[in-house]
Amino acid sequence: LSFFFFVPFAAASMPGAPNVCSKTYKTPRRPFEKDRLDQELKLLGEFGLRCKREVWRVKLLLAKTRKAARELLTLEEKDPRRLFEGNAILRRLLRIGVLDEEHMKLDYVLGLKVEDFLERRLQTQVFKLGLAKSIHHARVLIRQRHIRVRKQVVNVPSFVVRLDSQKYIDFSLKSPLGGGRPGRVARKSAKKGAAGAGGGDGGDDE
């Protein structure tokens, strides 16, 4: 009997299980540092973020990118690894619009800031294109599936917009804001207005 109870437990605790994911953010080493708390609070308001975990996620991405660039800069300039991996990092940053073609060097990667990555979020781009009244309104529109990038509806505010996809951000074709079917409240109001108009016409005929 003990064998039948032991096997499932062993299978459940096996390393490398598919449902175990690595953390995408790293909590601060000093949780109550005033300067950092003020800076994070400012970023939350400026970019309409939901919680500080979204800031920490971008900070970890930036730290990993800068660490890779710093390691490559220690190698010789003609080193094959530095040429191959360095070009890959620079092309990726150029594609998402964090770097421009004039700054295609690893030295400029070390000067990147959190704001450079937050600027490329779909939420920020929707607000800057004038599709939303505020940065918070932009988040609501995305979450309620009113926004598409090219032909794909995207409901993730932290979606990183590539440079070549930036001009294709628009309202979804099925959204009431993009000429689709009216929303539930609009349909209800129209139905009520039509019923009121019909009742008024009947009273005049009498």
Side-chain angles (χ1 to χ4, degrees):
L1 286 173
S2 61
F3 173 76
F4 292 105
F5 286 106
F6 177 75
V7 171
F9 176 78
S13 59
M14 283 178 64
N19 60 345
V20 178
C21 301
S22 59
K23 291 180 75 171
T24 57
Y25 66 94
K26 190 175 180 182
T27 54
R29 194 173 296 170
R30 297 177 180 174
F32 303 111
E33 193 176 7
K34 187 178 185 306
D35 294 338
R36 183 189 53 76
L37 289 172
D38 291 342
Q39 185 214 12
E40 288 176 353
L41 199 62
K42 183 184 174 187
L43 290 174
L44 287 179
E46 185 180 348
F47 293 97
L49 307 179
R50 186 177 64 87
C51 59
K52 291 189 176 181
R53 192 158 53 235
E54 294 193 313
V55 179
W56 298 339
R57 189 166 59 215
V58 176
K59 280 187 175 181
L60 180 62
L61 174 65
L62 176 60
K64 285 182 176 179
T65 307
R66 291 178 63 181
K67 182 183 177 184
R70 206 161 38 239
E71 286 180 0
L72 293 173
L73 283 169
T74 59
L75 304 174
E76 292 183 10
E77 197 167 338
K78 299 293 183 182
D79 190 283
R81 185 191 163 200
R82 175 171 172 173
L83 291 172
F84 181 76
E85 295 184 13
N87 285 336
I89 291 172
L90 293 172
R91 279 199 310 271
R92 194 182 313 127
L93 294 175
L94 178 66
R95 195 184 306 131
I96 65 174
V98 175
L99 282 180
D100 53 20
E101 292 184 359
E102 297 176 1
H103 300 96
M104 288 284 285
K105 289 184 180 178
L106 288 173
D107 298 317
Y108 291 108
V109 177
L110 301 180
L112 291 175
K113 295 188 247 180
V114 177
E115 290 88 338
D116 297 327
F117 285 88
L118 292 175
E119 286 283 348
R120 301 307 306 166
R121 285 165 51 96
L122 179 60
Q123 182 180 354
T124 311
Q125 293 300 316
V126 167
F127 173 57
K128 290 201 166 184
L129 288 170
L131 300 175
K133 297 174 184 175
S134 69
I135 193 75
H136 304 287
H137 184 219
R139 189 180 188 98
V140 173
L141 290 177
I142 295 167
R143 290 299 298 157
Q144 294 181 356
R145 303 176 63 84
H146 290 294
I147 301 296
R148 66 183 167 97
V149 180
R150 296 182 185 268
K151 294 181 180 180
Q152 180 67 45
V153 174
V154 182
N155 67 338
V156 182
S158 61
F159 176 82
V160 178
V161 181
R162 290 187 177 186
L163 212 56
D164 56 349
S165 300
Q166 188 170 332
K167 56 186 176 182
Y168 297 108
I169 299 173
D170 202 354
F171 289 118
S172 169
L173 298 176
K174 291 185 179 180
S175 166
L177 303 172
R181 183 188 181 198
R184 179 178 58 85
V185 176
R187 292 199 307 271
K188 191 175 180 182
S189 301
K191 189 176 180 182
K192 191 183 291 183
D201 293 342
D204 292 340
D205 291 340
E206 289 175 4

